[in-house]
Structures are given as C-alpha cells and as structure tokens.
Amino acid sequence: MKKIELKIEYTELDGDNELNIEERALLQKAREASDMAYAPYSNFSVGAALLLDNGITVTGNNQENVAFPSGLCAERVAIFAAGANYPNAAIKTIAITCKSKQFLVSEPLSPCGACRQSMSEYEVRHKSNIRIILQGETGKIKIINSVADLLPFMFKAEELKK
Ligand code: THU
C-alpha cells in the first residue's frame, strides 16, 4: 500500500492592480464577454477570454437554453471557438469572470467539472499549461498555474489506447 499526497499552489490577489498589463486586459475582455452572456434562466453571467500563443484573444460567455442541458458554459464556448478557429495555437491563459443579477459574487468562480475536463484536453494536446485567472465581482483574484492543478485525475486520451 502506498499513500500519495497531491499538493497544489495558487495565488490570491486583492485586485486587478496586482496583475500585469496583459493579464489585466484579458480579465477586462472576460468581463466584457460576460456582459453579452445569454443567461435568462440563471441570471448568472460568465465571461471567458483566452490568450493564444499567436497573440490572438478569443472570448466566450455562457449560452443557456430553455432545455437546460442544451446550454453551454462560457469556458467551453470560448475554448471550442479557439479550437475551431485556431487549431494549432496553444492556449496560454484563460481569464474567467462572473456576475449575478441576484446577489453579489464575492468569490472568484470555480470552473465546473465538465469545463475542467474540456480545458485539460487542450493543455494535453498542445503540451502547454494553461494559466487560469479567476475573478468574481469584488476584485479578489485567484490564479492557478494549470488545468492539471484543477483536475489532477483528468481522463486522458491514453486511457483509450490501453
Ligand atoms: N457556468 C459557466 O458558464 N461556467 C462555469 O464554470 C459554471 C457555470 C454557467 C452555466 C449556467 O449558464 C450558469 O453559469 C449557472 O450555472
């Protein structure tokens, strides 16, 4: 028997002013994307902005549907748009913000499991870690160094080849 301990490290910041210019701009684009979310059922708007290694930014926001499971989270809207339009570009950073019409989101959003799995595929595919910047409505920021830190036991393509 062997017990294994996993450790992750992340950074907390008090506000945008502690970010560099590039990260601040990306977070701003995520916020602008959240303004255009289609979230009439949850009233919870999420915006995601990805910075690719070719310098291009791709954004997305949550798109809901009256048949609830047919909607999609902001992260996957953005990541699939990047995969569809720039298949050879690695994703360097993703900024994700959220806001609610019903309450003040005081903590940075934590991406859902399905989005973590979807993002992990791109990290593995391009052999390049994706930095994740998270913010709610009150300024507080969390920075995580890779999707693998958020989902250490992700399902990988190798599992299909065994
Ligand atoms: N949502 C996202 O866009 N990203 C997440 O990581 C979690 C949840 C969306 C889905 C739905 O439109 C709304 O937030 C409420 O769950």
Side-chain angles (χ1 to χ4, degrees):
M1 197 186 12
K2 194 160 81 169
K3 285 202 177 165
I4 297 158
E5 202 176 308
L6 294 177
K7 225 167 141 182
I8 74 150
E9 203 183 80
Y10 65 92
T11 310
E12 272 189 1
L13 309 178
D14 289 330
D16 290 36
N17 57 326
E18 293 182 48
L19 293 171
N20 66 36
I21 292 173
E22 194 180 63
E23 293 169 335
R24 213 178 300 166
L26 200 63
L27 203 51
Q28 177 57 24
K29 285 193 174 155
R31 242 178 260 126
E32 286 164 17
S34 78
D35 290 336
M36 295 183 284
Y38 177 61
Y41 305 104
S42 71
N43 284 321
F44 190 80
S45 297
V46 185
L50 314 174
L51 179 64
L52 304 177
D53 66 354
N54 60 13
I56 290 172
T57 301
V58 177
T59 60
N61 43 39
N62 51 329
Q63 296 294 316
E64 297 187 348
N65 191 279
V66 63
F68 289 178
S70 302
L72 200 61
C73 293
E75 296 90 323
R76 276 176 287 166
V77 169
I79 233 157
F80 293 158
N85 292 291
Y86 307 99
N88 300 318
I91 299 162
K92 278 173 60 179
T93 312
I94 179 168
I96 308 164
T97 67
C98 60
K99 60 183 180 191
S100 170
K101 283 193 180 141
Q102 284 151 354
F103 61 96
L104 183 74
V105 186
S106 56
E107 285 299 312
L109 169 143
S110 197
C112 80
C115 286
R116 292 178 196 207
Q117 176 66 33
S118 297
M119 291 191 285
S120 81
E121 180 91 14
Y122 292 83
E123 199 164 82
V124 173
R125 178 178 170 191
H126 295 293
K127 298 185 181 62
S128 171
N129 72 296
I130 303 172
R131 210 167 133 78
I132 303 159
I133 303 174
L134 305 168
Q135 192 179 47
E137 288 182 274
T138 57
K140 189 173 169 183
I141 292 168
K142 269 191 190 137
I143 301 181
I144 294 129
N145 296 322
S146 73
V147 183
D149 282 349
L150 279 182
L151 191 65
F153 291 102
M154 81 272 283
F155 183 68
K156 291 185 182 164
E158 294 92 76
E159 318 278 349
L160 298 175
K161 294 178 199 146
K162 280 176 191 161

